[in-house]
Amino acid sequence: MNILLLTLIAIAAWYAIFLIVKARRDKPFPCAYCLATVATWTVGLALTALQFVHAPLVLAILMGQSSLGLFFKLKERAPEIMAVIQLPYFFTTIILTLVVLNGWHTDFVPPLVLTAVAWMAALLTLAYRTRPGMRRFVERIAACCKNI
């Protein structure tokens, strides 16, 4: 069984389904590609839990794409806030993906502590972002990835 081929077929099938649903709706509907990716890795997780397939690398790639897609969608809506919380956001999604794929392990405690510290620093930065010195710092963080 070629797991990559099956994954690509699943994404294409979900994509077609969500495009049809999107075309028939008057209200805004999420990105068909994003939904297809989430649906594929969700089904993949279920099939893994039922021991029908074992493709953690493929699942990790798809889950990473979803996490990055969500990041950019959030950044589109709240660019300054996402600029400040992007590091703890990425730390969190990496840890969550590993926990979902491999289960909990005590090795995750030190990265969780680092992630909590990063979240605290980001939230403090957001809380004080209107102060002159902090404002410039937030602007520098926000400008970090603009001209790549």
Side-chain angles (χ1 to χ4, degrees):
M1 165 170 44
N2 187 328
I3 196 68
L4 182 57
L5 178 61
L6 291 175
T7 301
L8 296 177
I9 290 169
I11 291 171
W14 282 116
Y15 181 71
I17 290 167
F18 289 126
L19 276 179
I20 291 167
V21 170
K22 187 173 185 165
R24 294 176 185 231
R25 290 184 48 103
D26 293 332
K27 296 180 181 179
F29 192 74
C31 166
Y33 170 74
C34 296
L35 290 174
T37 303
V38 171
T40 302
W41 67 253
T42 302
V43 170
L45 279 176
L47 292 174
T48 299
L50 296 171
Q51 298 180 349
F52 285 114
V53 294
H54 183 74
L57 184 59
V58 172
L59 290 176
I61 291 167
L62 294 174
M63 292 171 86
Q65 287 176 329
S66 293
S67 119
L68 189 61
L70 179 60
F71 170 79
F72 281 113
K73 189 50 119 176
L74 293 171
K75 193 168 185 173
E76 191 178 283
R77 298 206 174 153
E80 182 179 277
I81 291 171
M82 285 307 292
V84 173
I85 68 165
Q86 63 189 356
L87 187 64
Y89 171 86
F90 278 124
F91 286 177
T92 302
T93 58
I94 289 167
I95 292 169
L96 285 175
T97 302
L98 284 171
V99 169
V100 167
L101 291 174
N102 296 321
W104 174 256
H105 194 276
T106 56
D107 286 346
F108 293 139
V109 173
L112 277 175
V113 170
L114 176 63
T115 302
V117 169
W119 274 111
M120 286 186 268
L123 294 174
L124 281 171
T125 301
L126 284 174
Y128 292 101
R129 73 180 182 264
T130 57
R131 294 188 179 202
M134 192 60 75
R135 178 82 216 141
R136 195 172 70 194
F137 178 67
V138 170
E139 287 170 355
R140 284 183 180 167
I141 292 173
C144 168
C145 299
K146 282 188 179 176
N147 297 321
I148 292 181

